[in-house]
Amino acid sequence: MTVYNREEVLLQATNVQLTFDQHPILRDINFCIRNITRPGLLQGQVVTLIGRSGIGKTQLFKVLSGLQAPTAGQITIHNNKSVKAGDMGVIFQNYYLFEWRTVYQSLMLAAKKNKQLWGMEKQTIERYAEQFQLTEHLHVYPQQLSGGQRQRVSILQQLLKGSDFILLDEPFSGLDVCMIDKAVELLLQVSLSDELKTLIIVSHDIEHSVAISDTVFILGTEPGKEGATIKKEIDLIERDLAWRKDIRREKRFVETIEEIKACL
Amino acid sequence: MKKLIEPFAIINRQTFMIMVAAQVVITLLLWQSFSDGLIPKPGKVASAFVTLLGTKLFIENMLVSLLLTLKAMLYSILITLLFAWLSVLPFFKSVALFIVKCRYLTLTGLIFIFTLLTKDGSELKLSLLVFGIVPFFVTSFLSIIVNINPQEYELCKTLGYNNWQTLYEIIIIGKADQVFEILRQNFAISWLMITMVEGLSMSEGGIGTLLIKYNKYNDLTNVLALQLSIFIIGLCFDYLLGSLRHWLFPYSHLKTATK
């Protein structure tokens, strides 16, 4: 069993409700993400929010990112500070980038927003670009990038912005099998870059998301109640299913996937 | 052959060019066969066109019109940009929407007011042209703003931009290339108006004046030759503005690469 500790609260969702035209979309959303520490390692957090298509995942994604204000309740980060747009790094499903900016310009826009990088923006971009295999593509426009390159630029842009939280909306959607493996590697690399780095993956791709997560929250509806809520929390560390590269081959992992599917 | 009349069929460039050439030849043949004494035959118009191009009268008048159009377009685009950019501020939105509705006003009904407001014929023509063009430019630019992908705003928000920074990034910088597209698409409108406006103050000349003169004397051959030159210059400007846009904003003609 891996040695770890769950320490201070990094993100707290309290009684979040979202209603459109008196029609509840989300209700009673309560969960918290704690800082996970492992001796001798910079271990970030990877949390997955799983739910069926159309259940309200994207709306919860927008609420978490501060792009959509909840009807009631709140999302707090860093010692009770209410989340607002810009606090989180957000990677949209189709990896949207400004089409009129070159990759370098897009990255520079983000780097300039990060006070810790002031004066070192150029060097940092070059260093990260090499790490993300983007050096050759720094001076091209997004339209000239492949899906995988676009994804790396999107992630890098949000990393340069310097937020501890990175929200990813369906990061595996539209990628082929090889690209999914690369994306998984990349996300793991990001999660290990800083102790407080927290990836929140909103997805319906159960297998890939769960394989890289430490915690899973299942979003679903309950009989007789309108609006989606967190139906179940699964601690993958407790089940010894987290931080293991070949986990997908294990029977216990397959059983957990089945358990999640049954909950949806 | 069947493809030519099939909906959504894709034909290659060479076939397209052959098809266009054949259509032009058929049109010219029909024109040649059916034109009677009043309507000049294509050969006569072509010959008048070549003669016209070499005359000082044509060159001078064309330059007058071109200069006036370019001046009017420059002023119009500056006014358009100002109101279009400001339209995202609620206070100016109503003004921008009113300008859009001004498309329904006729210039003819406003000539007297503009004559009172301006000091000479040159100023009158310029102001009438600007007044006529601006509503079309603003309409085009506002439709671009309305159709902005919401993800552009969301990306700005996630990068921590405030509303002014968002305005700068998305509308001023992000839509700069569209200004050339608006100019290109609406150049035809300015070109259409110039002939009318020039008829109001004929002392300074221009192709509008020339057209009125030729029409007055029923010189249909020269009218058509002049129309042909107006058409060709219009096409040249269309190409020039398109090329300028691609040169200044290389991303505007990029297609998604499948790498």
Side-chain angles (χ1 to χ4, degrees):
Chain A
M1 185 84 180
T2 320
V3 180
Y4 75 98
N5 278 311
R6 284 194 188 267
E7 315 249 353
E8 77 277 14
V9 172
L10 297 176
L11 181 144
Q12 174 87 51
T14 316
N15 296 325
V16 172
Q17 319 262 352
L18 185 68
T19 307
F20 285 142
D21 297 331
Q22 296 182 344
H23 175 71
I25 308 293
L26 303 171
R27 62 168 182 85
D28 308 325
I29 301 280
N30 290 291
F31 67 89
C32 88
I33 300 172
R34 287 180 179 275
N35 179 19
I36 299 166
T37 56
R38 287 169 76 188
L41 261 180
L42 280 178
Q43 181 63 62
Q45 294 62 238
V46 185
V47 172
T48 291
L49 277 158
I50 285 178
R52 284 182 170 214
S53 294
I55 201 82
K57 292 193 302 292
T58 303
Q59 294 308 324
L60 181 56
F61 178 87
K62 288 193 171 181
V63 171
L64 286 170
S65 61
L67 292 171
Q68 167 80 56
T71 314
Q74 62 173 351
I75 308 285
T76 53
I77 52 169
H78 302 312
N79 302 322
N80 259 357
K81 175 185 173 282
S82 262
V83 79
K84 62 175 196 322
D87 285 338
M88 303 252 185
V90 180
I91 295 156
F92 297 102
Q93 193 173 345
N94 52 2
Y95 315 115
Y96 185 79
L97 294 163
F98 294 135
E99 304 291 347
W100 55 91
R101 296 281 190 188
T102 62
V103 169
Y104 180 81
Q105 289 169 339
S106 276
L107 297 177
M108 187 55 93
L109 288 175
K112 282 193 169 167
K113 284 278 163 191
N114 187 345
K115 286 176 188 168
Q116 288 175 333
L117 295 181
W118 280 0
M120 304 181 295
E121 294 96 340
K122 195 170 175 280
Q123 299 92 304
T124 314
I125 290 171
E126 283 165 2
R127 185 163 46 84
Y128 269 118
E130 204 177 329
Q131 211 175 325
F132 279 63
Q133 297 165 5
L134 286 168
T135 308
E136 284 173 30
H137 308 287
L138 279 179
H139 299 288
V140 302
Y141 288 96
Q143 300 97 311
Q144 295 169 292
L145 298 172
S146 68
Q149 289 161 350
R150 235 182 143 97
Q151 184 195 43
R152 296 207 292 278
V153 176
S154 273
I155 294 174
L156 183 47
Q157 189 182 36
Q158 298 299 333
L159 274 180
L160 284 164
K161 207 194 82 181
S163 171
D164 288 336
F165 297 91
I166 297 187
L167 274 158
L168 299 110
D169 188 13
E170 301 286 0
F172 311 115
S173 158
L175 297 181
D176 61 38
V177 185
C178 295
M179 281 310 304
I180 289 177
D181 286 344
K182 282 188 180 175
V184 165
E185 281 294 317
L186 186 64
L187 296 181
L188 284 173
Q189 190 185 335
V190 172
S191 75
L192 295 170
S193 64
D194 190 280
E195 182 60 55
L196 295 177
K197 197 63 81 189
T198 304
L199 303 186
I200 304 172
I201 300 170
V202 178
S203 177
H204 63 257
D205 184 334
I206 306 171
E207 207 179 310
H208 289 106
S209 316
V210 174
I212 56 168
S213 301
D214 51 65
T215 312
V216 173
F217 293 108
I218 301 170
L219 193 68
T221 49
E222 287 170 341
K225 289 180 180 174
E226 239 191 312
T229 190
I230 302 290
K231 279 173 75 178
K232 193 169 187 176
E233 176 181 346
I234 299 176
D235 188 337
L236 295 167
I237 313 173
E238 220 167 55
R239 296 187 183 194
D240 201 17
L241 293 173
W243 311 316
R244 300 203 16 211
K245 217 174 177 184
D246 53 352
I247 195 67
R248 273 189 278 174
R249 291 186 203 140
E250 291 207 16
K251 198 182 165 210
R252 287 177 300 119
F253 179 80
V254 178
E255 284 167 1
T256 304
I257 296 293
E258 289 308 315
E259 182 188 336
I260 294 169
K261 280 182 184 170
C263 264
L264 293 174
Chain B
M1 276 300 271
K2 197 184 159 192
K3 264 191 168 182
L4 297 181
I5 48 164
E6 202 180 291
F8 311 114
I10 296 166
I11 53 170
N12 63 40
R13 196 178 160 79
Q14 196 188 356
T15 313
F16 181 76
M17 295 310 286
I18 294 169
M19 185 191 73
V20 170
Q23 285 169 339
V24 171
V25 170
I26 292 167
T27 310
L28 288 173
L29 283 173
L30 287 172
W31 183 2
Q32 177 74 26
S33 316
F34 293 102
S35 54
D36 54 22
L38 275 176
I39 300 171
K41 291 191 181 293
K44 209 175 161 192
V45 174
S47 152
F49 172 69
V50 175
T51 316
L52 196 68
L53 286 184
T55 61
K56 201 179 160 203
L57 179 79
F58 170 77
I59 295 168
E60 277 176 1
N61 281 291
M62 186 54 86
L63 281 176
V64 167
S65 296
L66 270 178
L67 208 67
L68 181 62
T69 311
L70 292 176
K71 226 165 144 180
M73 284 184 73
L74 178 72
Y75 285 131
S76 302
I77 204 71
L78 291 175
I79 296 168
T80 300
L81 288 178
L82 183 74
F83 282 104
W85 289 341
L86 288 174
S87 71
V88 295
L89 277 64
F91 183 80
F92 289 98
K93 194 173 182 176
S94 54
V95 182
L97 290 175
F98 174 72
I99 293 173
V100 168
K101 300 297 175 202
C102 284
R103 283 174 302 158
Y104 299 109
L105 289 173
T106 60
L107 284 184
T108 320
L110 296 164
I111 291 167
F112 186 65
I113 294 170
F114 274 90
T115 312
L116 293 175
L117 292 171
T118 50
K119 59 174 190 246
D120 54 37
S122 168
E123 219 174 76
L124 171 68
K125 286 194 289 186
L126 183 65
S127 50
L128 271 174
L129 259 183
V130 171
F131 187 83
I133 297 168
V134 165
F136 289 94
F137 277 16
V138 174
T139 306
S140 300
F141 209 102
L142 286 193
S143 80
I144 289 167
I145 293 175
V146 166
N147 291 313
I148 286 176
N149 182 348
Q151 283 196 308
E152 294 180 18
Y153 294 112
E154 287 179 349
L155 182 55
C156 278
K157 281 185 184 174
T158 61
L159 288 172
Y161 283 15
N162 62 32
N163 288 343
W164 289 102
Q165 287 169 320
T166 303
L167 166 72
Y168 174 77
E169 184 59 42
I170 295 181
I171 295 174
I172 299 180
I173 299 294
K175 301 294 165 276
D177 70 308
Q178 304 278 349
V179 173
F180 281 86
E181 190 55 23
I182 291 171
L183 279 171
R184 199 174 69 83
Q185 284 178 8
N186 292 295
F187 181 77
I189 292 165
S190 344
W191 215 213
L192 193 83
M193 285 178 185
I194 188 116
T195 48
M196 189 194 85
V197 168
E198 278 176 347
L200 299 171
S201 174
M202 297 172 75
S203 59
E204 288 166 358
I207 48 165
T209 315
L210 213 55
L211 265 178
I212 291 168
K213 208 176 93 187
Y214 287 139
N215 264 321
K216 193 176 165 187
Y217 296 108
N218 283 332
D219 188 354
L220 213 52
T221 310
N222 269 321
V223 168
L224 290 178
L226 198 56
Q227 289 282 22
L228 188 61
S229 58
I230 290 170
F231 180 69
I232 291 170
I233 288 171
L235 291 185
C236 289
F237 259 88
D238 197 73
Y239 177 77
L240 187 77
L241 288 167
S243 304
L244 204 61
R245 181 187 174 205
H246 292 333
W247 180 65
L248 288 170
F249 309 100
Y251 57 86
S252 63
H253 71 289
L254 290 173
K255 301 265 183 254
T256 306
T258 46
K259 289 188 178 179

